Amino acid sequence: MKLILSILSLSLLSTWVPLQAAGPLTHPEFEINEDVLATLAVQDQGRKKPMTTLTSEALMTIYGNSVYYPQGKPKWWQRMTRDIPPENQAIPANRVMLDMWLRADEWQDRPVIYLGHRLLKEELGLDPMREHFSLNELNGLPRLSQLVREAQVKRMANERAELEPLQEKATSLNNKMAALSRWLSGEAVAIVPHPTSQTGKWASVQEASQLYPPSVGEPVFQQAAAMRQAYLAGDEAGFHQKLSQLAGTLRALSPEVYPTPGLMASEKFYQDFHPFRWAWICFLFALITLAVTTRWHEKGGYRLAWALVLTGFGLQITGFVYRVMISGRPPVTNMYETVIWVAFGVVLFAMILEAIYRCRYFLLAACPAAVLSLILADMQPTVLDPAIHPLVPVLRHNTWLIIHVLTIVSSYAAFLLALALAHIYLVKDGWFAGGKQGRKELNLLHQYVYRAIQIGVLLLAVGTILGGVWANYSWGRFWGWDPKETWALAALLCYLAVLHGRLAGWWGGYGLAVGSVICFQGIVMAWYGVNFILGKGLHSYGFGTGGQEYAAAFVIVEAIFLGICIWRHQTKPKGGGGKPKAAPESASVSA
């Protein structure tokens, strides 16, 4: 009997072998009902998620974009004007990744693997003007295999060994090739739940026999094959019916292990709603409102700006609540989450200080800082990965994760607020600080920059000390001059020097503003540079690649801005503001 069931299972499994079909997609007009697709759970990197989440993350990993263009990504002006030929219209991730899963042979020669590193393309003999290559093109490159082997040998000898740039990029490219291969083989689509364990490994349709006997896995094979046949035939209604039946069968196999419908629906809502995107839109309108109503309808504009800021802040809280609910942990484990937390922190500190001083300046400074941070997180998914991943072992002690990491990242938010206020100060000092009223506003801005720096220094000092306690808990020593530790201390000492210089009378508000701009570059290094440029140390869980050009551009723009402001300060007519004295602690004015 067992032999008969095994033979039957193998015959059903044979129907999963990819069939030949014409064109990049079968039935281009075929639309996927995402609500139905989201009921199908899949395990990826140890986390259970809706299929819609996996398809989006997989396309971003392999293709480098959230949608697929059959004839290559259009130029930016074509996307802006929507002047894209019908045959090259964007195809959503779920449609593309399902097609890869169900028609693997059609994607071996499709250019879907993103490679943007020009030097590696030249090293491999590829066209440096192209950005996407097929799996078959890359599989036959001996130089690529050589670079990957060299990187593997280095890492086998020392797992923290520093790779050469070409070796690092080749390894990243090889990982994308492996991810595509796992999709084409079906291995990546682990939809068959473990029978008993919440943390046990799930299986793909082809591997279901590893978890269940043939008599139990037979309905899974049958329904998966029927779903695929409906897809290939272009039977949209039949496909969704079979998909729904398959999801129900899989849930019935292990109802205690399968994620609840409520959790799946929550993640689907979070992925569709984009709360952080709506938040930066609210902050942008708040900034415009504040700018337009500075001398016109001040009270009404101020109230409207507050309403927009509170709405954006509420959207940020909503986003964090959903991320915590989905992941079961605080949202500060990768660069993406720290960036959105900094945007949250800068708005929080600004609202508190604005409620105390009622001066408009804190909101005026916080809104552009939050907008730029959230746009960066929203528009650079290949650098700042928004995917929710399980915690690495060193971060699984949630008490220290919440206390130490949130404290450190919150200090970055305070320093970012101080940076934005310093920009306002320097612009006013150079061009708009004439007369008694101008000097009074500079005195107040000096006090506001000082307040924000005080908050940041306190949080950074406490966070660094608590980091030593966590390091002793995790690694058995309080301090080891790890790059992350060293740069955190360097940034703290820079800001302490600026504050002590003010206390000693070496500089007033102007020097404090200049110092705030300079010191924030140390935060950029501690926050981004150690993880994405140095890429070594015990804090390897936060490492990543990409975005160096944006970080370099930020530093260069800040240097140019500071140079212009210093030149203007030195050459402006006397009586145009001068160096202000420190303002009294209780000073307040409506700008």
Side-chain angles (χ1 to χ4, degrees):
M1 183 64 182
K2 289 184 178 179
L3 178 60
I4 295 174
L5 288 172
S6 298
I7 294 173
L8 178 61
S9 298
L10 288 173
S11 65
L12 289 168
L13 180 59
S14 67
T15 64
W16 198 262
V17 176
L19 303 178
Q20 294 295 327
L25 290 176
T26 300
H27 313 288
E29 71 284 355
F30 195 111
E31 293 186 7
I32 304 296
N33 186 327
E34 293 190 359
D35 292 332
V36 177
L37 185 61
T39 63
L40 184 66
V42 60
Q43 187 190 62
D44 177 52
Q45 299 182 29
R47 189 175 83 82
K48 292 168 280 189
K49 60 185 74 172
M51 186 68 168
T52 50
T53 299
L54 180 64
T55 57
S56 177
E57 293 174 355
L59 185 64
M60 183 61 67
T61 298
I62 298 168
Y63 186 67
N65 205 333
S66 58
V67 294
Y68 171 71
Y69 295 97
Q71 297 183 354
K73 188 175 180 180
K75 302 298 183 182
W76 66 267
W77 62 83
Q78 292 177 307
R79 299 196 301 273
M80 288 289 290
T81 60
R82 301 185 182 275
D83 184 22
I84 302 174
E87 62 272 14
N88 197 35
Q89 291 294 320
I91 303 174
N94 55 64
R95 182 75 168 88
V96 175
M97 301 313 296
L98 279 178
D99 204 73
M100 285 186 186
W101 179 36
L102 302 175
R103 294 195 316 136
D105 281 356
E106 288 298 320
W107 291 89
Q108 297 282 349
D109 292 308
R110 300 293 298 178
V112 292
I113 301 175
Y114 175 74
L115 175 57
H117 194 266
R118 187 182 182 91
L119 293 180
L120 179 59
K121 286 187 281 189
E122 293 176 349
E123 182 74 14
L124 299 178
L126 300 173
D127 183 357
M129 302 304 294
R130 287 178 59 189
E131 289 190 335
H132 295 94
F133 300 86
S134 71
L135 187 61
N136 284 343
E137 282 181 288
L138 299 175
N139 273 334
L141 298 176
R143 179 56 177 155
L144 176 60
S145 301
Q146 181 184 356
L147 288 170
V148 172
R149 283 196 302 269
E150 291 173 356
Q152 291 172 342
V153 169
K154 274 191 176 182
R155 286 288 162 83
M156 289 177 63
N158 179 9
E159 63 180 20
R160 296 196 182 97
E162 186 174 356
L163 300 179
E164 296 178 6
L166 284 179
Q167 293 172 343
E168 183 179 344
K169 296 299 181 183
T171 300
S172 176
L173 177 61
N174 187 65
N175 291 339
K176 294 178 183 179
M177 295 167 61
L180 178 58
S181 297
R182 292 179 72 246
W183 262 98
L184 299 181
S185 68
E187 181 185 351
V189 191
I191 59 175
V192 182
H194 193 276
T196 57
S197 175
Q198 285 284 353
T199 57
K201 185 179 179 182
W202 290 26
S204 65
V205 172
Q206 297 93 318
E207 301 166 334
S209 59
Q210 299 176 9
L211 297 179
Y212 297 94
S215 59
V216 177
E218 180 182 340
V220 175
F221 288 129
Q222 289 177 334
Q223 292 172 15
M227 177 194 70
R228 181 170 181 270
Q229 292 297 334
Y231 176 85
L232 294 175
D235 182 2
E236 191 172 317
F239 169 79
H240 289 108
Q241 181 186 12
K242 300 300 182 183
L243 177 62
S244 183
Q245 290 177 356
L246 177 62
T249 300
L250 293 170
R251 181 181 296 279
L253 287 178
S254 186
E256 294 184 357
V257 173
Y258 216 80
T260 65
L263 185 61
M264 300 272 282
S266 295
E267 182 159 354
K268 175 67 167 52
F269 173 80
Y270 171 76
Q271 296 291 340
D272 291 343
F273 182 51
H274 299 293
F276 296 106
R277 181 179 301 169
W278 285 108
W280 73 251
I281 292 173
C282 288
F283 296 142
L284 178 60
F285 278 104
L287 175 63
I288 294 171
T289 301
L290 286 169
V292 170
T293 62
T294 299
R295 302 298 178 191
W296 174 74
H297 291 296
E298 292 183 45
K299 290 184 179 180
Y302 185 64
R303 290 171 183 169
L304 178 58
W306 258 109
L308 289 167
V309 169
L310 288 170
T311 302
F313 189 70
L315 288 166
Q316 287 180 299
I317 293 176
T318 301
F320 283 122
V321 168
Y322 272 94
R323 285 189 77 92
V324 171
M325 185 167 55
I326 293 165
S327 63
R329 57 166 174 77
V332 283
T333 60
N334 58 26
M335 185 61 71
Y336 171 85
E337 291 180 333
T338 63
V339 169
I340 60 176
W341 183 265
V342 164
F344 173 81
V346 75
V347 175
L348 174 63
F349 293 140
M351 290 195 305
I352 293 172
L353 293 171
E354 185 66 36
I356 296 171
Y357 290 100
R358 297 287 178 178
C359 63
R360 298 172 70 103
Y361 282 125
F362 289 108
L363 296 184
L364 195 60
C367 285
V371 167
L372 292 175
S373 298
L374 292 175
I375 286 179
L376 180 66
D378 195 28
M379 302 296 185
Q380 292 298 320
T382 56
V383 178
L384 304 177
D385 182 10
I388 300 174
H389 298 296
L391 290 175
V392 295
V394 74
L395 298 177
R396 287 177 186 164
H397 194 284
N398 276 352
T399 302
W400 287 118
L401 177 68
I402 295 171
I403 295 175
H404 165 63
V405 182
L406 284 184
T407 303
I408 290 286
V409 178
S410 296
S411 74
Y412 297 166
F415 290 134
L416 181 59
L417 179 60
L419 175 72
L421 289 165
H423 278 67
I424 297 175
Y425 182 102
L426 292 172
V427 170
K428 276 189 169 291
D429 173 82
W431 290 273
F432 303 104
K436 184 177 180 180
Q437 180 62 26
R439 289 190 295 273
K440 183 179 180 181
E441 289 187 359
L442 284 180
N443 287 338
L444 293 170
L445 278 167
H446 166 206
Q447 190 67 25
Y448 303 152
V449 174
Y450 176 60
R451 282 285 175 264
I453 292 178
Q454 279 183 311
I455 296 171
V457 165
L458 175 63
L459 291 172
L460 184 56
V462 171
T464 303
I465 293 170
L466 292 176
V469 177
W470 191 12
N472 183 61
Y473 177 86
S474 298
W475 300 316
R477 92 293 187 274
F478 286 96
W479 193 267
W481 297 106
D482 180 79
K484 196 74 172 178
E485 299 167 347
T486 304
W487 276 100
L489 178 61
L492 176 61
L493 293 176
C494 287
Y495 278 102
L496 285 173
V498 169
L499 291 182
H500 280 79
R502 175 188 180 276
L503 185 64
W506 296 342
W507 46 69
Y510 179 77
L512 191 70
V514 171
S516 179
V517 175
I518 294 173
C519 289
F520 193 79
Q521 311 315 308
I523 296 296
V524 172
M525 187 62 194
W527 184 15
Y528 168 85
V530 172
N531 294 50
F532 281 71
I533 297 176
L534 297 183
K536 56 185 178 180
L538 291 175
H539 295 74
S540 58
Y541 49 83
F543 292 172
T545 58
Q548 286 88 345
E549 62 275 16
Y550 299 104
F554 173 79
V555 174
I556 292 171
V557 169
E558 288 291 270
I560 294 173
F561 169 78
L562 195 58
I564 293 173
C565 290
I566 292 174
W567 167 81
R568 176 62 181 173
H569 181 77
Q570 297 294 332
T571 59
K572 69 181 180 181
K574 293 183 178 180
K579 184 171 75 173
K581 299 178 181 179
E585 297 290 318
S586 60
S588 176
V589 69
S590 176

